[in-house]
Amino acid sequence: MSKGLMETTSKFLSYVLRHEPQAIGLELDSEGWGEIDALIAGAASEGRPLTRELIEQVVRDNDKKRFTLSADGQRIRAAQGHSNKAVQLQLQERQPPAVLYHGTATRFMDSIHQQGLVPGSRHHVHLSHDPDTARSVGQRYGQVVVLQIDTQAMQARGCKFYQAENGVWLTDQVPASCITEV
């Protein structure tokens, strides 16, 4: 399958599974799982042909591992990044490395200096284990700046960390005092 088809399908799945399942009449459970057959039918009703083969290939080949198939292969969900309030992933608290990273655009730095990192419309702030990944994420938003996050200082303040199935680190917010520009 073409790279373009894979990319547009991945973006569509991100939109539907993270943010707007109702746009195609898809119901997600509280853990974000949706039936693949319902996803295919809902997409078709909106003029977007999907096949099980295409969905499975996107899940398998997505370099960011954004999606997960259930053990029985009948359901799919986004690994993280939800803004849908009905989805509340039950993540286990994890011990993060001493330092994590966040990529953003320079235009957001005034706000970050004031209030730290906040999740915005998402459930969590997303953090990376390495600066290169953070830089790649930040480039999507403009002139990039990579922020180093002191997780030990955050934990001393009672902040908790979780890790999504795809390795992305999640936390509720990052205080400005725990952020250093790289």
Side-chain angles (χ1 to χ4, degrees):
M1 293 184 200
S2 75
K3 183 177 180 180
L5 177 60
M6 295 287 290
E7 187 174 317
T8 59
T9 301
S10 178
K11 287 180 179 184
F12 173 75
L13 291 177
S14 288
Y15 170 72
V16 170
L17 296 174
R18 289 177 165 180
H19 309 297
E20 296 287 338
Q22 65 275 12
I24 63 166
L26 180 65
E27 290 187 28
L28 302 180
D29 68 16
S30 63
E31 287 288 313
W33 292 107
E35 298 291 329
I36 291 177
D37 289 342
L39 171 66
I40 292 169
S45 73
E46 295 297 319
R48 179 178 290 273
L50 282 181
T51 64
R52 183 173 291 273
E53 177 188 36
L54 177 58
I55 292 168
E56 289 172 354
Q57 185 172 359
V58 168
V59 171
R60 182 180 56 248
D61 295 346
N62 185 273
D63 60 339
K64 295 180 179 152
K65 302 297 178 202
R66 290 187 171 151
F67 314 104
T68 305
L69 292 178
S70 62
D72 65 2
Q74 299 305 303
R75 298 177 300 148
I76 186 172
R77 74 174 174 187
Q80 95 292 322
H82 300 89
S83 64
N84 184 318
K85 301 303 180 202
V87 175
Q88 296 294 325
L89 298 181
Q90 300 300 310
L91 300 167
Q92 298 296 313
E93 187 175 349
R94 300 273 318 265
Q95 178 64 39
V99 173
L100 289 170
Y101 300 91
H102 181 84
T104 191
T106 55
R107 63 191 161 101
F108 299 128
M109 289 308 298
D110 286 343
S111 173
I112 292 169
H113 288 304
Q114 293 288 317
Q115 62 182 353
L117 292 170
V118 295
S121 64
R122 294 184 179 188
H123 295 184
H124 296 99
V125 173
H126 295 190
L127 304 172
S128 304
H129 69 280
D130 67 87
D132 291 336
T133 300
R135 184 172 293 104
S136 174
V137 169
Q139 287 175 337
R140 295 185 293 195
Y141 303 105
Q143 186 177 351
V144 69
V145 61
V146 175
L147 307 175
Q148 183 173 299
I149 311 303
D150 182 347
T151 64
Q152 292 174 332
M154 287 180 62
Q155 287 181 304
R157 295 174 140 203
C159 298
K160 297 179 180 179
F161 291 86
Y162 311 92
Q163 194 171 29
E165 294 168 335
N166 63 355
V168 173
W169 285 93
L170 308 169
T171 192
D172 292 335
Q173 63 181 5
V174 179
S177 62
C178 298
I179 300 170
T180 306
E181 288 185 43
V182 176

